[in-house]
Amino acid sequence: MAEIIATKNLIKDYNLGKVKVRALNGVDLTIEAGEFVAIMGPSGSGKSTLMHIIGCLDSPTGGEYHLDGVLVSQMAKDDLASIRNSKIGFVFQSFNLLPHLNILKNVELPLMYAGESLRERSRKAREILASVGLSDRLRHKPSELSGGQRQRVAIARAIVNNPAILLADEPTGNLDSQAGGDILEIFTQLHSQGNTVIIVTHDKAVAQRAGRIIRIMDGRIEDGHLAG
């Protein structure tokens, strides 16, 4: 399979007052299209910084990052935003749904930004919500749903544009064990359909669902072995 993510000597520095903090310290990483990968590390290890760069939410201080064959590490913010909107679907621990919109409209948002017609937006959003078992909740607002249902909406929104990568940050962190297991099962199904799935987590049980676990410590990749 072809590499969808390739980083070389990735460095990220933050300036905190007069102090420079190195969050990533020479990260070399490759992920192939169609892989299911978990990125693990304790708080402060650099895993969130790595996720932000992989997701084109931030740029590295040094090194190279190729996404789907395109060098994105030196792109301007507007170009990064375009790549992000077309190539990456995000699922966050806190769901990040818009509270004043019903779930159908929440899922339609990425399609609106992509310039899809109203009819096509509605069709695709309804179809993807059906795939995560929420056809009977289209007019409900996020506050009227359980945590597990809200995360299903977030997943539907993330995949409605058929992105190259599904990137999830602690997607079960706010859920009970039953709802969390259901969400992980959806990720497993998406991977079986050929999607590239990357989950950032500190939970070993979550990481074990992946095909490969990449561990990061002090801004460096410690290892990247098969799960199990």
Side-chain angles (χ1 to χ4, degrees):
M1 287 187 285
E3 290 177 355
I4 196 164
I5 287 172
T7 75
K8 184 176 181 181
N9 195 32
L10 212 59
I11 292 170
K12 181 62 180 182
D13 294 330
Y14 292 106
N15 293 312
L16 302 178
K18 295 181 179 180
V19 179
K20 183 172 76 173
V21 176
R22 178 149 291 184
L24 296 179
N25 191 16
V27 170
D28 296 326
L29 174 65
T30 58
I31 295 174
E32 294 185 344
E35 270 201 277
F36 188 169
V37 173
I39 298 176
M40 291 195 74
S43 178
S45 62
K47 67 181 187 297
S48 293
T49 300
L50 181 59
M51 186 204 74
H52 287 154
I53 291 176
I54 287 175
C56 295
L57 294 165
D58 201 358
S59 297
T61 307
E64 295 182 354
Y65 170 31
H66 288 83
L67 172 60
D68 209 9
V70 176
L71 180 63
V72 298
S73 44
Q74 298 173 0
M75 280 187 172
K77 285 186 177 180
D78 287 351
D79 294 328
L80 273 182
S82 177
I83 289 280
R84 186 169 65 241
N85 291 338
S86 63
K87 295 279 189 183
I88 301 167
F90 293 95
V91 179
F92 297 99
Q93 178 178 347
S94 56
F95 318 129
N96 285 17
L97 301 174
L98 296 182
H100 60 286
L101 296 180
N102 65 37
I103 70 169
L104 183 64
K105 294 300 183 184
N106 264 283
V107 175
E108 285 182 5
L109 275 177
L111 299 167
M112 184 179 73
Y113 295 140
E116 296 268 13
S117 69
L118 182 62
R119 177 180 292 182
E120 193 66 5
R121 293 201 307 260
S122 179
R123 183 189 70 79
K124 288 184 176 180
R126 288 169 185 272
E127 186 177 283
I128 213 76
L129 281 164
S131 77
V132 296
L134 289 173
S135 290
D136 58 342
R137 296 285 194 272
L138 301 182
R139 302 300 174 188
H140 287 64
K141 291 185 177 178
S143 62
E144 300 172 302
L145 304 179
S146 69
Q149 289 171 329
R150 276 180 274 176
Q151 196 60 294
R152 287 170 183 258
V153 177
I155 293 172
R157 182 185 58 189
I159 62 176
V160 72
N161 257 345
N162 194 28
I165 297 167
L166 181 59
L167 189 56
D169 183 17
E170 302 284 5
T172 62
N174 282 338
L175 306 178
D176 61 38
S177 58
Q178 176 63 53
D182 292 344
I183 292 302
L184 290 175
E185 192 57 40
I186 292 174
F187 284 119
T188 300
Q189 291 171 7
L190 290 168
H191 172 246
S192 71
Q193 294 164 11
N195 290 280
T196 305
V197 180
I198 303 170
I199 293 182
V200 178
T201 184
H202 69 276
D203 188 330
K204 291 181 180 178
V206 172
Q208 289 297 326
R209 291 291 192 112
R212 182 162 60 110
I213 298 174
I214 296 167
R215 298 183 190 277
I216 186 168
M217 179 71 74
D218 298 329
R220 292 180 178 273
I221 300 291
E222 280 203 321
D223 59 34
H225 61 268
L226 297 179

